[in-house]
Amino acid sequence: MATKLNVVDETRSPTKTILLLAWPVLIEQIFSTLIGYADTAMVGSLGAAATASVSISMSVIMLLNGVVMSLGMGITTMVARSAGAGDYEKARSFMRHAILVILYVGLPIAGIILLLHRAIPQWMGAEPEVVELAAGYNIITGVGRIFGISSMILNSAFRGYGDTKTPLRINTTMNIVNVIFNFLLIYPTRTLNIFGLSFTMWGAGWGVNGAAVATSVGMAVAGLQGLHVAFFRDNEFRIDFKGPWKIDWVLMKQVFDISLPAMLQRFFMSASGIIITKSVATLGTVVVAARTLCDSAESIAVMPAFAFQTATTTLVGQSLGAGKPHLAEKYVKRTAIIAAIVMVFGTAGLYFGARAIIGIFTPDEAVIALSVECMHIIAFMQVPQAVGWTLTGALQGAGDTKIIFVISLITNWGIRCLGSVLAILVFGLGLPAVQCVILVQGIVQMILFFLRYRSGKWKTVLKD
């Protein structure tokens, strides 16, 4: 029988519990990012058209994935709450509803991608050559996407009952399978030289279609792994094929009440991001390149903050489910302190290592100089951002997602978006000014989340 982490055991060190939940999420994020770089490089070796064909549809697909991720957030919160209360039957019911979400939401999303396989790259303004490649890529990956959606939803459920190691194993396996099949299917048969030894390596030579098959196989493996754990792992949360498999709309309403504000938050954040990107684009190629590289560098630095946010969601959800709001508060306080300490090192790394980090991505001195200036500003965002994300995780675990949406809407549009547009288009300032605006937005957002947390209203948002 698989052991589970007893989050509501008050005899255990809170720090130990936090770290046991957070480290698999951190490793998962790091490994997925590194594999993503390798995946991009493999496809990139085929030329600009190949790279564009894989990336051109991503914004639309990520928008659809956002629906799934938001529903996953609701599943995480409700499974956590049920597990904390020791109501395993209810937790299993939410697990079954996770499967129903896959069927009733995941299948249609995969179908939309298949139906619009050619229209999506056309809408995005791709060249004819890219449209053809992208259409084939979308068809092949669309077939595997239902399995990818399955792993996303089920991993959310596993994290809810305190198991962050299984999502780590599932996503690691998926990424390894993806890279191996990329290596075998993208390139033709060729001669390789390794440590002075030459040998013939078989390859299918399918190009972009090979990359698509590799992605689909990886998603299929991940989805099947998740289903195997859900149905066959011997623990309190295992579900069986007998059901019941009828939708309980009371339970689904609880999930949707949490998920809908999260969906809206993602939508409005994406919309504001598009406006900022278009504004930055008016400043020229060097500025666009610098912003892209800064975003890439920061995405690695914020991984610990994301891990602590994910852990806090589970910790608060289970603590409140167990009727222990004092334990939830203890976890939030301790996690915020740990996250802040960790991100102090992130701040130092980004500030003092800015030139070395950016130099990995480009030799262009103009891009490096601007990027370093921006990275020095970004570095000071890390601590308030980590604390803010921890508080967000706490509110998510409590099901208080409506206030998260409201605060995010106000700060993203009222400060980040409006401030960036004014800085660029009205006052004629550059990218460093935009980063300063984003820094202010992060600090204000953290303060507002803290005020909501301190009010204590999050403790009673969900009624059992």
Side-chain angles (χ1 to χ4, degrees):
M1 182 175 183
T3 59
K4 74 180 183 73
L5 179 62
N6 188 356
V7 166
V8 297
D9 179 6
E10 296 190 65
T11 64
R12 182 195 296 272
S13 163
T15 299
K16 182 177 180 181
T17 302
I18 291 164
L19 295 178
L20 284 172
L21 278 175
W23 78 259
V25 181
L26 176 58
I27 299 301
E28 177 188 337
Q29 290 293 307
I30 292 173
F31 193 73
S32 295
T33 299
L34 294 176
I35 293 295
Y37 287 157
D39 191 41
T40 300
M42 288 184 182
V43 175
S45 68
L46 300 174
T51 301
S53 68
V54 172
S55 63
I56 193 69
S57 302
M58 278 300 115
S59 59
V60 175
I61 291 173
M62 289 304 295
L63 181 64
L64 294 173
N65 279 349
V67 175
V68 178
M69 293 172 69
S70 299
L71 288 169
M73 182 189 299
I75 294 291
T76 298
T77 299
M78 297 314 302
V79 170
R81 199 170 183 89
S82 302
D87 190 345
Y88 299 127
E89 178 53 43
K90 192 171 184 180
R92 286 191 291 271
S93 183
F94 280 113
M95 291 288 294
R96 285 193 292 271
H97 279 73
I99 302 294
L100 294 173
V101 166
I102 294 169
L103 294 174
Y104 292 116
V105 178
L107 277 174
I109 286 177
I112 289 171
I113 295 172
L114 286 170
L115 184 65
L116 303 177
H117 66 278
R118 185 178 298 275
I120 293 173
Q122 288 176 335
W123 291 341
M124 300 304 294
E127 297 292 330
E129 178 188 7
V130 173
V131 169
E132 290 303 315
L133 290 172
Y137 184 87
N138 289 341
I139 286 179
I140 297 170
T141 56
V143 172
R145 197 156 302 279
I146 184 60
F147 294 101
I149 291 171
S150 298
S151 67
M152 290 168 63
I153 290 290
L154 291 173
N155 282 341
S156 297
F158 302 148
R159 293 188 184 104
Y161 64 70
D163 181 4
T164 54
K165 293 181 181 179
T166 294
L168 168 62
R169 286 192 289 267
I170 289 174
N171 285 322
T172 298
T173 303
M174 176 180 70
N175 284 308
I176 291 175
V177 168
N178 186 19
V179 167
I180 291 174
F181 275 85
N182 270 343
F183 184 74
L184 295 174
L185 301 180
I186 290 176
Y187 308 110
T189 300
R190 67 276 193 202
T191 300
L192 297 180
N193 292 286
I194 300 178
F195 301 120
L197 298 176
S198 297
F199 60 94
T200 300
M201 182 69 214
W202 177 85
W206 292 349
V208 172
N209 286 342
V213 172
T215 298
S216 281
V217 172
M219 289 191 291
V221 169
L224 292 173
Q225 274 186 291
L227 291 168
H228 182 270
V229 170
F231 283 101
F232 297 106
R233 174 176 286 176
D234 186 15
N235 65 13
E236 302 95 330
F237 306 98
R238 185 181 69 181
I239 54 179
D240 55 47
F241 293 100
K242 295 179 181 179
W245 290 103
K246 184 178 180 180
I247 294 179
D248 183 331
W249 290 108
V250 173
L251 297 185
M252 283 307 301
K253 182 180 184 301
Q254 292 176 313
V255 172
F256 279 117
D257 283 346
I258 296 170
S259 301
L260 184 57
M263 290 182 198
L264 294 174
Q265 178 192 356
R266 288 178 179 276
F267 173 79
F268 284 106
M269 284 181 65
S270 297
S272 67
I274 291 171
I275 293 173
I276 295 172
T277 299
K278 285 182 174 293
S279 299
V280 170
T282 64
L283 299 176
T285 303
V286 169
V287 177
V288 171
R291 181 171 186 259
T292 301
L293 296 184
C294 286
D295 287 347
S296 297
E298 189 192 12
S299 68
I300 299 174
V302 300
M303 287 179 185
F306 177 78
F308 289 122
Q309 178 190 30
T310 302
T312 308
T313 297
T314 298
L315 293 166
V316 170
Q318 289 205 26
S319 297
L320 292 180
K324 297 181 177 182
H326 64 280
L327 182 59
E329 290 181 325
K330 182 186 293 186
Y331 277 133
V332 174
K333 181 179 179 180
R334 187 68 58 87
T335 307
I337 292 172
I338 296 172
I341 292 172
V342 169
M343 295 314 294
V344 165
F345 292 98
T347 296
L350 287 178
Y351 190 90
F352 295 107
R355 176 167 287 274
I357 294 170
I358 298 299
I360 295 173
F361 298 104
T362 180
D364 190 308
E365 186 56 40
V367 174
I368 291 175
L370 180 58
S371 297
V372 168
E373 186 179 355
C374 293
M375 289 277 281
H376 287 165
I377 300 169
I378 291 171
F380 290 100
M381 291 173 53
Q382 302 313 304
V383 172
Q385 185 168 255
V387 174
W389 284 15
T390 299
L391 294 171
T392 301
L395 298 177
Q396 287 173 350
D400 198 9
T401 52
K402 291 179 182 177
I403 196 65
I404 296 174
F405 165 62
V406 171
I407 291 174
S408 298
L409 182 68
I410 292 171
T411 57
N412 266 284
W413 283 85
I415 300 176
R416 189 185 190 113
C417 185
L418 179 60
S420 296
V421 171
L422 290 175
I424 295 171
L425 301 181
V426 177
F427 297 107
L429 302 175
L431 189 60
V434 173
Q435 296 299 342
C436 288
V437 169
I438 294 173
L439 173 60
V440 171
Q441 181 250 344
I443 294 172
V444 172
Q445 187 167 273
M446 178 198 69
I447 293 171
L448 293 176
F449 282 138
F450 174 73
L451 291 175
R452 175 62 176 188
Y453 171 77
R454 193 177 66 172
S455 74
K457 294 179 181 179
W458 52 274
K459 299 175 187 177
T460 56
V461 169
L462 295 182
K463 302 291 184 180
D464 291 323

